[in-house]
Amino acid sequence: MNRKDQREWILKLVYENLANSNNSFNTKQLESHNLIDKKIDFIEASLKSLYDNYDQINNIMINNVDSTAIKKLSLVDKALILISINEMFYLNIPSSVSINEAVELSKTYSADNSYKVVNGILGVIYRKYD
């Protein structure tokens, strides 16, 4: 499975967890989507890192986004922001790559102009912590 496909699965799995108010990861989630026997090293590493560092990642988002704006974020956009923060801070993926991937996924899976919000929030975080 290529990296783009794996990122889409990460989004789907994080979205699923947010929708179910679940802030943890276990392999049963991968099994339920028949992902166990596929080459998914990036998915596993990303989800493990995201949920091991969830409180810190969530705090970065909360501390850089107005609380009203957070409440208005769709679960897809929130998932993309959390995933990108994890990639930038804990997986050492270049910020420009992570932000671009989040924006592209937002264009595919979110509302028409949501990608602008995702890009803006991630841009603020990047500039503050870079």
Side-chain angles (χ1 to χ4, degrees):
M1 186 179 302
N2 67 36
R3 183 67 64 101
K4 182 179 186 295
D5 292 339
Q6 289 189 64
R7 270 200 171 90
E8 287 182 358
W9 271 108
I10 293 165
L11 170 59
K12 292 171 186 176
L13 295 168
V14 172
Y15 172 86
E16 181 180 303
N17 280 355
L18 288 172
N20 293 318
S21 299
N22 179 11
N23 295 335
S24 64
F25 164 71
N26 68 53
T27 56
K28 288 183 183 187
Q29 190 177 17
L30 298 175
E31 290 171 6
S32 71
H33 294 285
N34 297 317
L35 293 172
I36 288 297
D37 294 330
K38 298 182 173 142
K39 187 171 172 123
I40 56 166
D41 297 340
F42 182 66
I43 294 174
E44 291 177 308
S46 184
L47 292 175
K48 182 173 180 351
S49 174
L50 176 65
Y51 291 111
D52 284 352
N53 300 294
Y54 186 84
D55 290 337
Q56 296 91 324
I57 293 166
N58 196 48
N59 283 336
I60 291 168
M61 182 180 63
I62 289 169
N63 292 330
N64 290 284
V65 180
D66 179 76
S67 62
T68 305
I70 289 177
K71 290 177 186 172
K72 291 181 180 179
L73 282 174
S74 72
L75 288 182
V76 170
D77 294 333
K78 184 175 180 182
L80 287 168
I81 292 165
L82 293 170
I83 292 164
S84 188
I85 292 170
N86 179 57
E87 289 180 351
M88 291 188 288
F89 285 77
Y90 297 98
L91 296 179
N92 298 318
I93 292 174
S95 299
S96 60
V97 171
S98 181
I99 292 170
N100 184 60
E101 291 294 332
V103 167
E104 291 305 313
L105 285 168
S106 182
K107 287 178 182 178
T108 301
Y109 290 100
S110 198
D112 287 340
N113 289 316
S114 290
Y115 73 92
K116 294 176 184 177
V117 174
V118 170
N119 188 50
I121 290 169
L122 293 172
V124 166
I125 292 168
Y126 168 74
R127 286 187 292 281
K128 182 173 180 179
Y129 293 96
D130 186 46

